[in-house]
């Protein structure tokens, strides 16, 4: 039976991945150009501080939340962090992923033990479920959410789920699970540039612009 | 002003979009944190007041005009902005937003939401969907120089009054003075103490100053309504006259938006730097303090706190100065739990207080300030913005609270060391 999926797996690993990578790469470049080429008008007021320092500062300072903001939004902050950190670990510190990256980019770094990554995957999946629950039940997020929010949730959830199932030999045959895992990642890569997933990159440009303009006004954020 | 049409509104929105806005709109993940930072959501619990949602018209135009995917989908007629939608958004962009900028502080992806709301107002104003109260104020400002229709006659009457009261002269249209003092109409009408305070402080400091008969109004209703044309015209009047009189510094009065208007937006509106410096009155007073030119005696008896005007702190960087000044005259100054750049708005900034139909919402929003004051149990509330002051006086009245509100400048003057000036 297993042999039936060899072709699918080969396509996913070969042409499928190449197509996805091309759309991912060119899509991101296109989107970043669409944004940055718009430019911004020159400021003529006398600034208190340079844009550079403030822009750079806010790129990092926004990672930290404290005080009343933390109190008011603790759920989304705590669970949001769990999800983002978990995703980072699973994506970049799982040895098979590192080997894949090494084979295409030549970069290499040590991974974490697979059993640990496996546990992190469970945490990440649970965090995603909690975020979905929050999205569906909190009056603000339920109100704000569009089809894209749910679609993007799904295309991030699927690679995590299929990867977890493949690693633990759950559900379908290993070969098919692996093929589905790779295909789900490719779906994620294809939709990435054209959805809010772009915040992976634009968070930094946004923080830069906001921090730079605050610094000009002498506001330290 | 050209006739307001949807097309003009659409184009105005299109013109506003720059790289920061495109980056912000690409970044939002709909986490909802900006709602918790918004005074209007916090006090009503109405998700329609979530800041990012207030930008829906801007987002649609951006998507359709500046993204490949949006261009394709708009060919199918999906996601197009309508005039009805623009009209509906008046409630979100004006009634339930004071441009206070708290949302811009909490956004995890770093979106400067208030920057975008200010820009979205350009679209609504050009399409004719700005609030009636603000349209009228802008017309009066263009015609008479003051959004409240305060004329030079009224100012002259007040000058005479101040001169009689203090025995000091109030200079008008004097060349080459160090300082040119601007006023807000609210001060001329409701708080004449301010001008008197300036006269006394300048006298003690031994500084030369002047008012200008062709440019005494500091507020800029063009910025509040979101019309760069009107804003530019109003700023130009101040700039041209200040440069004609060859003053060194123009002092923005106790008003938050006036400061933002002349300090930050003004030079960009006219497309060049000024030949003079702009300072808020609190910056000037703090400099006088540091140079030992502001001498006070005695202390306030009551327990007091300071309400930070949003445009001075979060959008202006004037945070420490009022605290230095208050500590000169009070040993009983306590801070609200969230103060400085984290302060809560009075509920009527950004022209909101000019919107009659939003009064109920404004009063509801004031509950936040009421709660902050209740926590402290203060006897006096000090601030440095005539608009905050009026809005809070109305709010205190609505909640039947008996706390006097004082402008910081006039409080300082109560303690000036008399040098036989009277």
């Amino acid at each position: 039976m297993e042999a039936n999926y060899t072709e699918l797996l080969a396509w996913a690993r070969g042409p499928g991945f190449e197509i996805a990578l091309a759309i991912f790469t060119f899509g991101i470049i296109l989107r970043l150009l669409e944004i940055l080429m718009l430019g911004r008008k020159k400021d003529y007021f006398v600034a208190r501080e340079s844009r550079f320092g403030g822009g750079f500062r806010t790129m990092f300072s926004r990672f930290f939340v404290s005080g009343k903001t933390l109190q008011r939004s603790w759920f989304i902050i705590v669970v949001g962090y769990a999800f983002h950190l978990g995703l980072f670990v699973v994506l970049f510190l799982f040895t098979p992923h590192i080997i894949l990256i090494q084979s295409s980019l030549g970069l290499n770094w040590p991974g974490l033990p697979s059993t640990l990554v496996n546990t992190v995957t469970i945490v990440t999946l649970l965090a995603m479920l909690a975020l979905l629950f929050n999205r569906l039940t909190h009056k603000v997020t339920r109100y704000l959410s569009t089809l894209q929010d749910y679609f993007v949730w799904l295309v991030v959830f699927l690679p995590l789920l299929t990867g977890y199932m493949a690693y633990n030999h759950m559900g379908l045959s290993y070969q098919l699970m692996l093929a589905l895992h790779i295909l789900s990642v490719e779906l994620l890569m294809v939709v990435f540039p054209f959805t809010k997933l772009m915040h992976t990159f634009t968070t930094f440009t946004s923080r830069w612009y906001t921090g730079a303009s605050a610094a000009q006004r002498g506001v330290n954020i | 002003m050209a006739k307001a049409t949807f097309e003009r509104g659409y184009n105005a929105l299109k013109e506003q979009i720059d790289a920061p806005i495109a980056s912000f709109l690409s970044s939002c993940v709909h986490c909802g944190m900006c709602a918790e930072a918004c005074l209007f959501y916090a006090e009503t619990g109405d998700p329609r007041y979530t800041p990012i949602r207030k930008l829906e018209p801007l987002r649609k135009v951006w998507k359709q005009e500046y993204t490949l995917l949006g261009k394709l989908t708009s060919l199918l007629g999906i996601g197009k902005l309508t005039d009805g939608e623009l009209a509906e958004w008046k409630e979100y962009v004006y009634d339930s937003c004071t441009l206070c900028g708290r949302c811009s502080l909490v956004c995890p992806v770093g979106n400067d939401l208030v920057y975008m709301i200010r820009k979205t107002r350009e679209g609504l104003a050009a399409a004719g969907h700005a609030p009636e109260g603000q349209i009228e104020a802008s017309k009066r400002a263009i015609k008479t120089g003051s959004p409240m229709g305060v004329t030079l006659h009224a100012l002259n009457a007040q000058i005479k009054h101040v001169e009689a009261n203090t025995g000091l002269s109030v200079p008008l249209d004097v060349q080459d003075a160090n300082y040119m003092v601007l006023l807000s109409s609210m001060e001329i009408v409701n708080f004449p103490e301010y001008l008197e305070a300036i006269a006394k402080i300048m006298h003690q400091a031994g500084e030369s100053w002047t008012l200008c008969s062709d440019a005494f109004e500091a507020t800029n209703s063009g910025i509040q309504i979101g019309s760069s044309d009107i804003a530019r015209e109003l700023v130009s009047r101040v700039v041209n006259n200040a440069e004609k009189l060859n003053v060194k510094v123009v002092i923005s009065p106790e008003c938050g938006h006036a400061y933002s208007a002349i300090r930050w937006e003004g030079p960009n509106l006219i497309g060049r730097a000024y030949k003079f410096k702009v300072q808020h009155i609190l910056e000037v007073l703090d400099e006088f303090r540091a140079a030992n030119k502001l001498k006070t005696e005695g202390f306030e008896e009551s327990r007091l706190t300071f309400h930070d005007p949003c445009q001075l702190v979060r959008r202006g960087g004037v945070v420490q100065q009022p605290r230095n000044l208050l500590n000169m005259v009070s040993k009983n100054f306590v801070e609200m739990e969230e103060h400085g750049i984290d302060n809560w708005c009075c509920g009527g900034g950004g022209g909101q207080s000019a919107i009659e139909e939003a009064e109920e919402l404004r009063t509801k929003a004031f509950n936040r300030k009421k709660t902050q004051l209740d926590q402290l149990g203060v006897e006096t509330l000090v601030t440095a913005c005539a608009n905050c002051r009026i809005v809070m006086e109305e709010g205190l009245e609505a909640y039947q609270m008996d706390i006097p509100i004082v402008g910081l400048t006039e409080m300082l003057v109560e303690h000036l060391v008399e040098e036989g000036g009277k």
Side-chain angles (χ1 to χ4, degrees):
Chain A
M1 277 299 284
E2 296 241 328
N4 292 350
Y5 302 111
T6 314
E7 224 170 288
L8 181 65
L9 184 58
W11 186 86
R13 281 183 156 152
F17 189 74
E18 274 164 31
I19 295 167
L21 190 62
I23 295 176
F24 179 74
T25 312
F26 288 108
I28 288 172
I29 293 171
L30 168 78
R31 287 298 322 283
L32 288 177
L33 287 177
E34 271 178 0
I35 294 166
L36 299 174
M37 301 265 282
L38 283 168
R40 55 178 292 282
K41 285 188 186 143
K42 183 175 160 22
D43 290 315
Y44 293 95
F45 53 74
V46 181
R48 294 194 211 269
E49 281 176 48
S50 79
R51 290 180 62 81
F52 190 81
F56 201 68
R57 181 172 59 220
T58 304
M59 280 167 83
F60 299 98
S61 66
R62 268 313 146 97
F63 282 118
F64 305 97
V65 195
S66 62
K68 294 296 261 183
T69 303
L70 180 58
Q71 260 179 48
R72 289 188 184 106
S73 306
W74 69 269
F75 181 86
I76 194 94
I77 293 165
V78 172
V79 183
Y81 254 107
F83 157 67
H84 279 92
L85 291 175
L87 186 65
F88 181 86
V89 167
V90 172
L91 186 56
F92 293 113
L93 299 178
F94 183 50
T95 307
H97 293 167
I98 299 173
I99 292 168
L100 176 71
I101 293 167
Q102 188 187 13
S103 70
S104 52
L105 294 175
L107 297 167
N108 188 16
W109 56 86
L112 289 174
S114 296
T115 47
L116 179 60
V117 176
N118 198 42
T119 312
V120 171
T121 311
I122 298 173
V123 174
T124 313
L125 285 166
L126 289 176
M128 280 200 79
L129 288 170
L131 288 172
L132 180 64
F133 179 77
N134 181 66
R135 189 168 284 293
L136 288 162
T137 54
H138 191 289
K139 64 179 168 186
V140 171
T141 44
R142 191 179 56 208
Y143 186 79
L144 288 180
S145 297
T146 60
L147 202 58
Q148 198 204 107
D149 291 301
Y150 297 106
F151 176 65
V152 165
W153 181 91
L154 188 69
V155 299
V156 176
F157 191 79
L158 285 178
L160 282 162
L161 182 69
T162 52
Y164 179 79
M165 289 174 75
Y167 174 80
N168 291 291
H169 294 272
M170 289 160 73
L172 309 161
S173 75
Y174 176 73
Q175 210 172 24
L176 180 56
M177 274 324 299
L178 190 60
L180 289 177
H181 175 59
I182 297 170
L183 287 170
S184 69
V185 171
E186 286 161 8
L187 176 65
L188 172 66
M189 289 165 75
V190 168
V191 303
F192 188 109
F194 309 103
T195 58
K196 65 175 184 175
L197 288 165
M198 272 303 283
H199 81 272
T200 312
F201 298 100
T202 57
T203 288
F204 295 97
T205 51
S206 296
R207 289 179 181 181
W208 170 275
Y209 286 128
T210 300
S213 124
Q216 286 178 306
R217 295 165 182 238
V219 182
N220 188 341
I221 54 171
Chain B
M1 287 286 293
K3 197 179 172 314
T5 61
F6 173 68
E7 200 190 345
R8 277 197 61 230
Y10 188 92
N11 288 331
L13 287 173
K14 193 175 152 188
E15 275 171 34
Q16 297 303 318
I17 294 165
D18 55 8
I21 291 180
S23 173
F24 299 152
L25 293 172
S26 300
S27 301
C28 178
V29 294
H30 286 168
C31 74
M33 276 176 68
C34 52
E36 305 289 343
C38 174
L39 178 63
F40 293 94
Y41 171 76
E43 286 304 324
T44 62
D46 189 336
R48 293 178 307 144
Y49 297 149
T50 304
I52 189 68
R53 185 182 171 274
K54 294 173 181 170
L55 299 162
E56 204 47 23
L58 188 69
R59 191 192 64 84
K60 284 193 168 176
V61 173
W62 161 71
K63 193 129 208 216
Q64 185 177 336
E65 298 290 336
Y66 298 109
T67 71
L68 179 65
L69 197 67
K71 279 178 191 152
L72 294 176
T73 50
S74 74
L75 288 179
L76 305 169
I78 299 167
K80 282 197 173 179
L81 181 68
T82 64
D83 192 47
E85 199 173 1
L86 265 190
E88 191 192 334
W89 248 252
K90 174 243 175 205
E91 185 188 346
Y92 311 125
V93 175
Y94 295 98
D95 296 9
S96 60
C97 179
T98 59
L99 303 179
C100 90
R102 261 189 126 255
C103 46
S104 298
L105 284 194
V106 305
C107 175
V109 296
N111 287 350
D112 192 349
L113 292 141
V114 67
Y115 173 81
M116 293 192 277
I117 293 186
R118 159 72 185 86
K119 304 270 187 187
T120 305
R121 285 188 179 185
E122 294 277 337
L124 269 81
H129 299 311
E132 208 44 48
Q134 289 198 15
I135 294 174
E136 291 308 315
S138 302
K139 281 185 186 160
R140 278 193 298 270
I142 287 289
K143 206 170 145 212
T144 69
S146 147
M148 293 167 71
V150 173
T151 59
L152 183 60
H153 293 299
L155 178 64
N156 274 328
Q158 208 186 92
I159 290 175
K160 273 197 192 121
H161 186 73
V162 169
E163 287 182 333
N165 257 3
T166 60
L168 300 169
S169 77
V170 174
L172 189 65
D173 300 324
V174 172
Q175 279 280 324
D176 306 321
N178 280 346
Y179 295 100
M180 175 170 133
V181 170
L182 300 177
L183 302 166
S184 68
S185 291
M186 206 81 96
E187 280 159 338
I188 302 173
V189 175
N190 296 313
F191 308 118
E193 311 89 283
Y194 178 75
L195 185 59
E196 194 168 319
I198 293 291
K200 288 179 178 170
I201 288 168
M202 289 296 182
H203 175 73
Q204 194 201 53
E207 290 286 353
S208 60
W209 68 290
T210 186
L211 290 169
C212 174
S213 54
D214 291 324
F216 54 85
E217 176 65 51
T219 64
N220 191 319
S221 34
I223 283 180
Q224 300 186 330
I225 198 171
S227 165
S228 291
D229 295 339
I230 297 175
R232 189 178 301 111
E233 164 65 23
L234 296 176
V235 162
S236 300
R237 288 179 191 172
V238 174
V239 175
N240 295 340
N241 283 292
E243 289 180 353
K244 207 158 69 189
L245 289 178
N246 194 32
V247 296
K248 291 198 182 72
V249 179
V250 166
I251 303 182
S252 181
E254 288 202 350
C255 172
H257 279 89
Y259 180 65
S260 265
I262 187 114
R263 177 71 174 87
W264 310 114
E265 288 215 32
N268 290 352
L269 282 166
I270 63 168
R272 67 168 175 88
Y274 303 151
K275 292 175 188 154
F276 52 88
K277 193 171 157 184
V278 174
Q279 288 188 301
H280 188 264
I281 180 65
L282 295 187
E283 291 180 276
V284 175
L285 293 178
D286 195 47
E287 276 183 12
F288 284 3
R289 178 196 62 81
N292 211 19
K293 285 181 179 172
L294 179 71
K295 285 170 248 149
T296 60
E297 58 189 3
F299 293 95
E300 288 291 312
E301 281 167 12
S302 62
R303 181 178 162 85
L304 51 86
T305 191
F306 183 69
H307 164 80
D308 287 289
C310 306
Q311 300 299 315
L312 282 194
V313 282
R314 259 192 300 283
R315 310 301 284 180
V318 181
V319 182
Q320 194 48 47
Q321 292 90 335
R323 289 162 173 87
N324 296 343
L325 295 165
L326 266 169
N327 284 324
M328 282 180 88
V329 296
S330 171
K331 287 179 173 168
N332 214 350
F333 161 47
V334 286
E335 293 278 18
M336 287 182 241
E337 189 178 9
E338 288 169 282
H339 62 268
I341 65 167
D342 295 319
N343 85 313
W344 286 97
C345 177
C346 64
Q352 205 275 6
S353 60
I355 309 172
E356 247 175 77
E357 63 274 23
E359 193 192 333
E360 199 186 322
L361 188 59
R362 184 158 61 244
T363 308
K364 223 179 224 178
F366 185 75
N367 185 50
R368 182 57 48 135
K369 195 53 63 183
K370 172 196 177 342
T371 310
Q372 285 192 297
L373 293 171
D374 286 345
Q375 276 171 2
L376 292 178
V378 288
E379 296 147 316
T380 304
L381 176 56
V382 186
T383 192
C385 171
N387 186 62
C388 292
R389 192 166 162 184
I390 288 276
V391 169
M392 292 194 298
E393 276 177 357
E394 285 170 4
L396 290 174
E397 171 128 359
Y399 287 89
Q400 296 176 333
M401 293 165 77
D402 190 20
I403 300 176
I405 308 180
V406 187
L408 179 51
T409 308
E410 39 177 288
M411 173 171 272
L412 287 168
V413 163
E414 293 291 312
H415 295 273
L416 272 195
V417 176
E418 296 271 346
E419 288 173 293
K422 206 167 180 177

